[in-house]
Amino acid sequence: MDIQFNSNEDHNKLEASALKKRLLKIYKGGGDKRIEKEHSKGKLTARERINFLLDKDSSRIEIGVFAGYEMYQEQGGCPSGGVVIVIGYVSGKQCIVVANDATVKAGAWFPIAAKKNLRAQEIAIENKLPIIYLVDSAGVFLPMQDEIFPDKEHFGRIFRNNAVMSSMGITQIAAVMGSCVAGGAYLPIMSDEAIMVDKTASIFLAGSYLVKAAIGENIDNETLGGAKTHNEISGVADYIAKDDYDALNKIRSIVDKIGSFDKAGFNRIKSNMPLKDEEDIFGILPKSRTGSYDMKEIIYRLVDESKFDEYKANFGKTLLCGYARIDGWAVGIVANQRKLVKNAKKEMQFGGVIYSDSADKATRFIANCNQKKIPLVFLQDVTGFMVGSKAEHGGIIKDGAKMVNAVANSVVPKITIIIGNSYGAGNYAMCGKAYDPRLIVAWPSSELAVMSGSSAAKVLLQIETASLKKKGKKISKSQEKEIFEKIKNRYDTQISPYYAAARLWTDAIINPLETRKWISMGIEAANHAPIEKSFNMGVLQV
């Protein structure tokens, strides 16, 4: 291995280590003292509940672990959005589990918590996955009620989705393991079956204090809406459990009896590991986001037996398209080629840039995958579409529109991995969040923005200095540099993968070595939902 490889390896492994440290801190939720407080009540924490519920030693992926990261600092923070969401296996069946984290503000709903819960339901709806709710929440975080209550994508949408999923035949099971108050009380009761834990669970539209204030009635919470009340008197709940373990075992028993599902029928054979060492990814991927590398070398370390059947290998070289298998699943890969390449006219083309010929090739390949019912995997390291008079006169907008159209109208599942840059319209064409990937995850090396921090700072600097000069102010070189660094630092913060993940623009930041698992479990989830419409790109300017 050369010096550059070793330098890259050191850098990327440090990034992976930093990711792990951040995750370990987030896994603590509200901290050790609050975890001890939950234990003193005879309760498990959200993560402990999920670990007990899921099949032992089975694969799992966590959605939105960085939700709320470094947000809500004035409110004391909101680790993981106060809710834990995992796709895993219960009694051998793939399910999505949503658990309120009572160690974070008593499980209260922040704006990002509502967005995260809606993402879980979106995944369940798209993939027709059974969804399990482990409820333990004090309700809406009242100081921020205006950002969570009234809008279309706010709190109420969750109950709307409960109703929609029920009509679609998607299994919903709820276990109330703590508080379940006000509007939140509808969630377990709109599920197919509801379990309540004796002595610790409660469901009511208004607690005892509010009841006293509203109608003058004196009553304690247990009598008002405890497990025995709702199992013996109101009939609101279906089962009573003696403790958390009993409730989770009841869920496992219910899921164990769910019948088989109609499959989409995606092709899968026996899985084989890549022949090339996955660990080499850390040395291949350059430290700098402007660095070049051969994306094929990354692909060879992600796909089974390192086999990649490239489509139109000598045409549109800044996009790689081809067929492969990942954990046995047949996939169509669309990936940005990051090294400099020459086109048919022997002209040098920039790596990571989408040219007209590349867009044309990708459009055709995406259509082929849709016709063959092959899931699509997008590997993003894109700086955008080519600009300039030559590109414009050659119809880059038209060709780019065709590619965007193909991505938008794809009926096969799409999974997006952001490896490096994800800039501008390149993000859209390579199936960014707006284009409905079933899962979208980022490596620690990724950046998401309209353009790079340096490019954006240069543009904004020109605007700001021009404005100051119009006011008659002279700007020295040192002042220009100071303004540039100030703008760049602010912009660099916003293009970080952690900034994106905190806002759920991505589902997770993952170690590159976890990529195969995420793709495989994503396709397995999608296989629950047969394709119900045909691929149609509509009107195009050819």
Side-chain angles (χ1 to χ4, degrees), residues 43-284:
K43 296 164 64 178
L44 301 173
T45 66
R47 293 184 184 281
E48 289 168 342
R49 288 166 176 167
I50 290 174
N51 286 337
F52 184 83
L53 176 64
L54 296 183
D55 296 346
K56 188 176 181 181
D57 298 325
S58 61
S59 294
R60 63 193 67 180
I61 53 178
E62 184 170 348
I63 304 295
V65 67
F66 280 101
Y69 182 70
E70 295 185 340
M71 296 169 64
Y72 311 116
Q73 296 303 309
E74 291 183 5
Q75 290 79 24
C78 185
S80 224
V83 61
V84 183
I85 297 173
V86 172
I87 299 176
Y89 300 88
V90 179
S91 298
K93 294 180 175 66
Q94 194 180 48
C95 302
I96 185 163
V97 184
V98 181
N100 300 113
D101 187 348
T103 70
V104 179
K105 296 289 191 296
W109 292 69
F110 280 68
I112 198 66
K115 186 175 182 179
K116 186 170 174 179
N117 275 264
L118 289 172
R119 176 60 179 147
Q121 291 183 322
E122 180 182 43
I123 291 170
I125 290 169
E126 283 182 330
N127 300 291
K128 296 188 177 177
L129 274 185
I131 186 166
I132 298 165
Y133 307 100
L134 306 181
V135 185
D136 192 347
S137 171
V140 167
F141 185 65
L142 290 177
M144 303 186 77
Q145 65 85 27
D146 61 321
E147 296 180 47
I148 189 173
F149 168 66
D151 209 348
K152 180 179 178 181
E153 300 300 331
H154 282 176
F155 193 57
R157 187 77 173 183
I158 293 167
F159 316 129
R160 175 265 185 193
N161 287 348
N162 287 140
V164 168
M165 283 189 281
S166 183
S167 72
M168 293 174 67
I170 297 171
T171 298
Q172 300 176 83
I173 301 167
V176 182
M177 312 177 86
S179 298
C180 183
V181 302
Y186 287 105
L187 185 145
I189 312 312
M190 293 187 76
S191 299
D192 302 338
E193 296 181 86
I195 302 161
M196 292 184 71
V197 177
D198 195 23
K199 300 293 189 291
T200 58
S202 58
I203 302 176
F204 34 65
L205 296 180
S208 56
Y209 292 124
L210 185 54
V211 167
K212 172 68 175 176
I215 63 173
E217 181 183 3
N218 287 304
I219 190 168
D220 63 88
N221 282 338
E222 184 65 25
T223 306
L224 179 66
K228 287 186 178 178
T229 294
H230 285 311
N231 274 272
E232 298 175 9
I233 300 174
S234 72
V236 163
D238 304 303
Y239 308 94
I240 188 168
K242 62 182 180 181
D243 56 25
D244 281 8
Y245 296 106
D246 188 31
L248 296 168
N249 279 325
K250 285 183 186 296
I251 294 173
R252 290 184 58 81
S253 181
I254 293 168
V255 174
D256 179 59
K257 297 169 183 66
I258 296 174
S260 62
F261 57 90
D262 294 333
K263 295 180 174 63
F266 302 124
N267 185 295
R268 191 182 198 185
I269 62 173
K270 181 185 175 184
S271 174
N272 287 290
M273 292 300 293
L275 296 180
K276 296 200 173 186
D277 191 351
E278 290 179 276
E279 290 272 352
D280 289 347
I281 289 171
F282 294 113
I284 295 166

Side-chain angles (χ1 to χ4, degrees), residues 283-342:
I284 295 166
L285 196 66
K287 291 190 296 184
S288 170
R289 293 281 54 79
T290 59
S292 65
Y293 62 97
D294 188 351
M295 179 64 85
K296 287 183 190 178
E297 294 300 327
I298 299 288
I299 293 172
Y300 293 148
R301 287 158 177 82
L302 295 177
V303 301
D304 291 13
E305 297 182 311
S306 299
K307 288 183 179 178
F308 178 58
D309 299 325
E310 192 172 354
Y311 173 82
K312 291 185 181 289
N314 297 312
F315 179 77
K317 294 181 182 180
T318 64
L319 272 178
L320 299 171
C321 298
Y323 303 105
R325 290 189 182 275
I326 294 177
D327 197 24
W329 295 104
V331 296
I333 295 174
V334 181
N336 302 108
Q337 176 58 287
R338 282 295 308 186
K339 70 176 185 178
L340 292 170
V341 296
K342 289 183 179 179

Side-chain angles (χ1 to χ4, degrees), residues 10-65:
D10 289 344
H11 172 81
N12 288 313
K13 284 190 173 180
L14 282 172
E15 289 286 312
S17 177
L19 167 64
K20 186 176 181 180
K21 287 179 181 177
R22 289 183 172 105
L23 286 171
L24 290 174
K25 185 176 181 181
I26 290 172
Y27 292 158
K28 290 282 188 179
D32 290 329
K33 288 185 178 179
R34 287 176 180 165
I35 290 172
E36 288 173 15
K37 186 177 179 181
E38 292 302 298
H39 289 167
S40 70
K41 298 176 185 176
K43 296 164 64 178
L44 301 173
T45 66
R47 293 184 184 281
E48 289 168 342
R49 288 166 176 167
I50 290 174
N51 286 337
F52 184 83
L53 176 64
L54 296 183
D55 296 346
K56 188 176 181 181
D57 298 325
S58 61
S59 294
R60 63 193 67 180
I61 53 178
E62 184 170 348
I63 304 295
V65 67

Side-chain angles (χ1 to χ4, degrees), residues 11-12 15 285-287 289 380-381 417-423 441-449 492 494-501 506 508-510:
H11 172 81
N12 288 313
E15 289 286 312
L285 196 66
K287 291 190 296 184
R289 293 281 54 79
Q380 284 196 14
D381 194 345
I417 314 295
I418 305 174
I419 288 175
N421 303 322
S422 182
Y423 297 156
V441 298
W443 289 2
S445 48
S446 65
E447 292 184 352
L448 287 80
D492 282 346
Q494 295 177 354
I495 68 178
S496 159
Y498 295 97
Y499 189 92
T506 61
I509 304 171
I510 65 169

